[in-house]
Amino acid sequence: DTPKRPVIKVLLVLLACLMPLIPLIFLTGPGAEGEKNDIPAEEEIFAYIEDIYNFGARRAGTSAYEESLDYIVNQMEALGYDTVVERTPFDFWEAKKWNLVVHPDTDDALKMESFYLPYTGPTKPGGITTEIVCLGEGTAEEFYEKDVEGKIALIELPATIISWDELKIFSYFAYDPDNTAAEYRQPYPIGWLAPFLEVYPRLEEHGAAGAIFILQDYPDLGPLSYYAPYDGVLRPVPCLYIREEDGNIIKEELGEGKVEVTLTLEAETSRRTAANAYAILPGRSEANYVISSHFDSPWASAVEDSSGVGLVLALAEYYAQLPEAERERTLVFLFTGSHMVGEPTNYDFIERHEEDLLADMLYYICLEHVADNYPYSNYVEPRGIFIQENPVVASLLAKQLEKYNLYRTVMFPTGTTLGVPSDAGPKARQGYPVISLISGPVYLFDAADTLERVPRDQLVPLSAAFIELIEELNRYPEFLLRFRVNTVAILLVVFLFTPLALFGFQGRND
């Protein structure tokens, strides 16, 4: 009988390996049946978005921000929710005046279109007038080759161009049955930030008086208004953006000799508070899903993130109709308000609720950016859904993409080099499980993000898909939703190969 025991061990381990996958057999079957409540209509969801948009630029610390917060609280209370508002201090920064003049105090003075980099500067009221130095893309070598101390650096920021095929490399699954995204290849809205963040410390290290950054390949969306970085970090060197064609003019003139410019960036900084607002809808179980979006924005910003607020309010309205006996698990509706200033309220929420709401949380479901593909096509902007590495959730979500034809959608794991580039990022980085919908249209941080950029026909399908996803998740016990494939894989390797190793060792002893 002795030789049989290792074989039995191996069979038992294999069975244990397969157990987490058993529920997947049932995922192709019918979902939960029964009468469904009405999902808010497209016009109603869009009305939420329009209302938020009409408050204007909802930068934390402004009156428009406070008005939009009051609106959200009032809407939630009208639906029957008790809403809690929690506040977090942060550094408020506001630009008052900015401009760039080439050859100041001469007959050839040229005022160029420019835009400020948030949280940089400020200059004195008259600005800084000094020589400009071209540093290419601002590599360490270029900084050491040229003297920029007390001068203004001219630096190119190359765009990060992404394609559909490149997005699919990182994905579990890409859904685009009609192959509409085959030709997708365009700048990523945060793509100019990576080179800026690398270059900026060199400005301080080498004593630059200021910097002008050339936005390479930035599309013509109207007046220049690229609002980034948005990490809320105060940086003392004043910085402006200009367009590529204007950068070329300056570089041509530098080829003929010394060029002086006046860079002005008048700004004020003070301490103010940002806010989160949340409401709890109890279910039969204390295990919960947090359904969230941020409501702050750089501009009126229909996509960033009036659209996300509209989806969360739509889900809150839907679930307010359900009696508690029909709510399997608790729902928490959360509206965060500091995405554009480094997310301090998000980290504050984690600290405040790590032992209550987050301790019982199954998934943090973050809904952001219902966007079209302007100015490149009439399709929707390709979107990503970042999900915890769990085959049950991945399979359920894939089913919803197909059922509601959410084309141009890519499902990403959370553990790639992409991270989770959304308002769910702080939760994911702290190890909490997330399901995060987001897209990255090129106009995301631009004043060109208007109501026309929201593809209205996507509002009901997206709402329905996430409502049904939650209903499907409720069919499964918590342990099947909590495990992560990457963690489980390590355990399975240990439990699988340990018996095999022991079997081999015993065989040699025999």
Side-chain angles (χ1 to χ4, degrees), residues 155-426:
I155 298 171
E156 300 170 1
L157 293 182
T160 298
I161 307 296
I162 58 173
S163 70
W164 179 252
D165 287 340
E166 289 168 333
L167 290 174
K168 290 194 296 183
I169 291 172
F170 296 97
S171 71
Y172 291 129
F173 172 66
Y175 182 71
D176 190 35
D178 296 328
N179 207 27
T180 66
E183 303 302 320
Y184 175 86
R185 191 175 185 277
Q186 65 189 57
Y188 189 45
I190 64 172
W192 292 278
L193 289 183
F196 164 77
L197 294 174
E198 181 179 354
V199 166
Y200 177 83
R202 296 171 190 150
L203 295 171
E204 290 191 28
E205 179 185 351
H206 290 268
I212 300 168
F213 287 96
I214 303 169
L215 290 171
Q216 302 284 81
D217 295 311
Y218 195 79
D220 185 2
L221 302 171
L224 187 60
S225 55
Y226 179 65
Y227 191 92
Y230 52 94
D231 55 10
V233 175
L234 291 165
R235 297 178 171 91
V237 179
C239 302
L240 297 179
Y241 290 122
I242 62 173
R243 297 184 186 277
E244 186 172 357
E245 53 267 34
D246 289 329
N248 290 337
I249 291 173
I250 296 176
K251 286 189 287 185
E252 288 176 7
E253 296 206 7
L254 283 169
E256 299 176 2
K258 178 180 175 180
V259 175
E260 280 198 345
V261 299
T262 297
L263 184 159
T264 302
L265 175 53
E266 298 177 26
E268 295 179 357
T269 304
S270 59
R271 289 291 281 178
R272 300 192 185 181
T273 62
N276 290 333
Y278 72 91
I280 300 172
L281 187 63
R284 292 165 56 193
S285 165
E286 291 186 0
N288 70 68
Y289 307 104
V290 177
I291 302 170
S292 177
S293 183
H294 69 91
F295 67 91
D296 64 313
S297 65
W299 304 104
S301 301
V303 169
E304 169 80 277
D305 210 310
S306 305
S307 62
V309 172
L311 290 182
V312 176
L313 286 172
L315 267 64
E317 180 178 341
Y318 174 86
Y319 282 107
Q321 306 171 73
L322 293 182
E324 185 171 346
E326 296 181 24
R327 299 195 298 266
E328 184 66 28
R329 291 173 175 136
T330 295
L331 298 174
V332 180
F333 296 96
L334 171 64
F335 303 87
T336 66
S338 61
H339 187 77
M340 304 306 299
V341 290
E343 304 177 305
T345 66
N346 291 35
Y347 292 101
D348 194 13
F349 187 84
I350 294 172
E351 185 174 345
R352 289 175 187 254
H353 298 289
E354 60 185 348
E355 295 184 1
D356 48 49
L357 295 177
L358 296 177
D360 293 324
M361 185 181 70
L362 287 172
Y363 277 91
Y364 187 90
I365 301 174
C366 186
L367 307 177
E368 297 181 275
H369 305 174
V370 186
D372 71 359
N373 188 223
Y374 175 83
Y376 302 105
S377 79
N378 293 322
Y379 295 112
V380 300
E381 177 70 21
R383 49 204 164 195
I385 304 180
F386 292 80
I387 61 172
Q388 172 102 353
E389 291 76 357
N390 181 299
V392 175
V393 179
S395 298
L396 290 173
L397 183 56
K399 186 169 78 169
Q400 301 311 317
L401 299 184
E402 183 176 6
K403 178 174 180 177
Y404 291 99
N405 192 30
L406 297 177
Y407 71 108
R408 287 186 155 207
T409 302
V410 184
M411 288 168 45
F412 295 111
T414 61
T416 72
T417 54
L418 297 175
V420 180
S422 75
D423 203 58

Side-chain angles (χ1 to χ4, degrees), residues 93-97 120-123 265-269:
W93 182 96
E94 183 178 25
K96 298 293 186 179
K97 180 181 178 181
T120 66
T123 68
L265 175 53
E266 298 177 26
E268 295 179 357
T269 304

Side-chain angles (χ1 to χ4, degrees), residues 119-166:
Y119 283 73
T120 66
T123 68
K124 60 186 179 181
I128 301 167
T129 300
T130 186
E131 181 182 350
I132 192 168
V133 179
C134 183
L135 294 175
E137 294 186 359
T139 64
E141 292 76 14
E142 286 166 319
F143 268 90
Y144 281 109
E145 288 173 2
K146 298 182 180 179
D147 177 20
V148 295
E149 185 172 0
K151 301 173 185 177
I152 293 173
L154 179 69
I155 298 171
E156 300 170 1
L157 293 182
T160 298
I161 307 296
I162 58 173
S163 70
W164 179 252
D165 287 340
E166 289 168 333

Side-chain angles (χ1 to χ4, degrees), residues 22 25 27 29 63 79-80 107 125 194 206 292 297 358 394 406 507:
I22 291 174
I25 298 170
L27 295 182
S63 59
L79 293 172
D107 293 339
H206 290 268
S292 177
S297 65
L358 296 177
L406 297 177

